[in-house]
Amino acid sequence: TALIIFLAIGIVIMLMLFFLAPSLSNLYFREPETLPLIKVVALAFPFGFLFSVVTGTVQAHSKFMTNATLLLSFQILKIVTFIILFLTGMRLISAAIAVTLSYLILSLTSLFVIPQCSHTFNKTLAIQILRFAEPVTITSLAFVILYNTDIFVIGRYIGANGTAIYGAAAMTAR
């Protein structure tokens, strides 16, 4: 049930970003070359949500070594993919593609690691999960917005390349 809920939310966010990408690219960032970047980032959402469910499920079943292996594999795959893409000439978009591919590959392969659980959708349970998670979801969303506001403001005024440099530096500093 949680898998279906998270996958649906990820797909909704992906579709919203995909359709808003031209407006964000042209009106907000004022740089049409950011359009492919926004679309690649949009594609990462369903797989990122799926990966979160997988790692959460593995952790709930006290398989901490498996969880640590999944998280470490994600980071290594992301870095290796980024380096390969960057060296082949894909500059700014290489980071977005690396994250998206890492989520895709590990989400699909890690589905085999999930302990046996029910794969049926239970509407009553889904409603209970959503109601229970509502306060945490709102708080987490507010935290993500607060945590990334500086990057969006900088993106508005100095463009994609400057924002990429600032974003990397800000993440390192945090």
Side-chain angles (χ1 to χ4, degrees), residues 9-143:
I9 292 169
I11 290 170
V12 167
I13 292 172
M14 176 193 72
L15 291 173
M16 285 177 20
L17 266 177
F18 221 79
F19 289 116
L20 290 174
S23 297
L24 288 170
S25 178
N26 294 322
L27 301 175
Y28 185 78
F29 293 116
R30 290 184 240 150
E31 293 189 33
E33 64 270 6
T34 60
L35 181 62
L37 179 66
I38 296 168
K39 287 187 174 186
V40 169
V41 168
L43 291 173
F45 276 92
F47 302 111
F49 277 68
L50 181 62
F51 189 68
S52 295
V53 171
V54 169
T55 55
T57 303
V58 170
Q59 188 173 1
H61 288 274
S62 300
K63 297 189 182 256
F64 297 109
M65 195 62 177
T66 304
N67 197 35
T69 304
L70 286 172
L71 294 172
L72 180 65
S73 299
F74 173 71
Q75 295 300 331
I76 291 170
L77 184 61
K78 183 172 60 171
I79 291 168
V80 169
T81 307
F82 169 74
I83 290 170
I84 291 169
L85 292 172
F86 188 81
L87 292 175
T88 59
M90 299 180 78
R91 299 289 182 213
L92 183 59
I93 201 166
S94 60
I97 293 173
V99 170
T100 303
L101 284 177
S102 300
Y103 275 136
L104 169 69
I105 292 167
L106 279 173
S107 294
L108 297 179
T109 57
S110 62
L111 285 174
F112 298 107
V113 180
I114 295 180
Q116 284 300 95
C117 56
S118 173
H119 295 293
T120 59
F121 183 74
N122 182 334
K123 184 178 179 182
T124 307
L125 182 60
I127 292 169
Q128 289 174 341
I129 289 171
L130 290 172
R131 284 192 183 136
F132 179 78
E134 194 173 278
V136 174
T137 304
I138 292 169
T139 304
S140 296
L141 183 59
F143 182 72

Side-chain angles (χ1 to χ4, degrees), residues 142-158:
F143 182 72
V144 168
I145 291 168
L146 179 67
Y147 192 72
N148 292 303
T149 300
D150 56 338
I151 294 172
F152 282 105
V153 170
I154 286 174
R156 173 82 168 136
Y157 295 106
I158 66 170

